[in-house]
Amino acid sequence: MLIKTRGIVLRAVKYSETSLILDIYTEAKGLRSYIVSGVRSRKSKVSAGLVQLMSLVDMVAYHRDEKDLNRIREIKAAHIYEQLPFDIRRSSVGMFMTELIRKSIREIEENPALFHYLFESFRYLDSSPHRVANLHIQFMVELTAFLGFAPAGHYQDDTAVFDMLEGRFLPDATSHLHFMDETSSQLLGQFIQSDQAHCHDIPLDRATRRKFLLDLLDYYRLHIENFSGLNTLDVLEDVFG
């Protein structure tokens, strides 16, 4: 059958001389893989730039649930970025977000709320008038709610330590080693209370940002099976160093 859906391109792999295989998180069917034919040929009607990582697209595709790989019939831009491709800071944050999505979301069912959040997060990254150095951290914190392990409780004087194994703020560290120190726990509390439009107001120096980001990655690793490190972390280090 044919489906019409919006999507977010998460990966593009060369297939034959002129085609690509795309991993796309779709509004209608969750995470799926598609072939787009002829896109790398000179006569292609589809611009190769349209199917790059982070592209937001409208597409018509042949779809069968039992198939691992379906074929795209039509594809066009759902949003044309104005700043993201030309701003190394925005594009680095976007690459990090893309890798995080690809390694943490494996659903092949529709999830309209999650799709809307991801789609609008990339649009905001493109259009935000503020500094973007904290946006990937805000994204990581907010994404936990969709993945099923949102932090419970609140950071305050009598619950100043975040237990990453239990996923909640506690009065002190327990017997295991999976907890954030007070600085990271306080930052987590701040980002929980913040949002994308205001997270730039949270002050972070390079060392503190790196430590907190590594703690968040550990938190993901504890709650997502086979979650691996992110290659784009080093790129962020270089860009925001």
Side-chain angles (χ1 to χ4, degrees):
M1 67 174 182
L2 282 175
I3 63 167
K4 184 176 182 180
T5 182
R6 293 186 300 171
I8 305 165
V9 179
L10 301 180
R11 186 170 65 163
V13 178
K14 293 179 181 178
Y15 180 76
S16 76
E17 292 185 3
T18 61
S19 301
L20 292 172
I21 293 178
L22 306 177
D23 288 346
I24 300 179
Y25 189 76
T26 70
E27 188 170 18
K29 295 292 180 179
L31 181 61
R32 300 286 179 166
S33 295
Y34 296 95
I35 293 177
V36 56
S37 299
V39 70
R40 297 170 56 224
S41 70
R42 293 181 179 179
K43 297 181 180 180
S44 175
K45 296 180 181 179
V46 177
S47 167
L50 176 61
V51 291
Q52 292 182 347
L53 298 187
M54 299 178 277
S55 293
L56 306 179
V57 298
D58 281 317
M59 51 187 275
V60 177
Y62 298 98
H63 185 85
R64 291 173 61 182
D65 281 335
E66 67 273 16
K67 291 187 66 173
D68 292 331
L69 189 61
N70 288 283
R71 187 172 294 275
I72 291 175
R73 178 177 171 178
E74 301 172 20
I75 188 167
K76 62 182 181 179
H79 173 80
I80 298 175
Y81 291 125
E82 296 182 359
Q83 299 186 78
L84 197 156
F86 315 107
D87 183 329
I88 190 171
R89 295 193 169 206
R90 293 175 198 268
S91 60
S92 298
V93 169
M95 292 292 288
F96 179 92
M97 289 165 54
T98 302
E99 188 180 11
L100 180 68
I101 293 167
R102 191 160 52 83
K103 292 187 175 181
S104 60
I105 298 175
R106 295 151 190 176
E107 299 176 345
I108 57 171
E109 297 85 21
E110 66 175 314
N111 187 331
L114 174 57
F115 179 85
H116 177 78
Y117 173 71
L118 299 178
F119 192 92
E120 293 304 320
S121 291
F122 282 106
R123 281 169 44 108
Y124 183 78
L125 174 60
D126 181 53
S127 63
S128 172
H130 306 297
R131 293 176 292 107
V132 299
N134 289 347
L135 264 181
H136 57 296
I137 296 177
Q138 187 69 44
F139 180 77
M140 285 191 77
V141 173
E142 293 177 352
L143 187 60
T144 61
F146 296 95
L147 299 176
F149 53 94
H154 303 279
Y155 174 87
Q156 48 196 23
D157 289 343
D158 57 349
T159 51
V161 172
F162 184 70
D163 185 320
M164 292 191 286
L165 202 57
E166 295 295 327
R168 64 177 60 250
F169 289 93
L170 297 175
D172 49 46
T174 54
S175 57
H176 62 75
L177 300 177
H178 303 297
F179 62 89
M180 294 184 184
D181 62 21
E182 188 168 348
T183 298
S184 287
S185 298
Q186 184 177 21
L187 283 171
L188 178 59
Q190 289 178 279
F191 277 97
I192 290 172
Q193 295 298 317
S194 188
D195 57 25
Q196 291 179 344
H198 299 92
C199 65
H200 64 279
D201 290 327
I202 299 175
L204 281 173
D205 59 42
R206 179 180 180 180
T208 305
R209 179 184 289 109
R210 176 175 173 78
K211 171 64 167 57
F212 183 45
L213 191 53
L214 290 174
D215 284 342
L216 284 176
L217 288 170
D218 282 343
Y219 185 45
Y220 269 68
R221 194 173 292 112
L222 287 168
H223 293 275
I224 299 176
E225 186 176 1
N226 298 322
F227 182 84
S228 59
L230 302 189
N231 298 323
T232 47
L233 182 61
D234 290 337
V235 177
L236 286 177
E237 287 279 302
D238 292 338
V239 170
F240 292 109

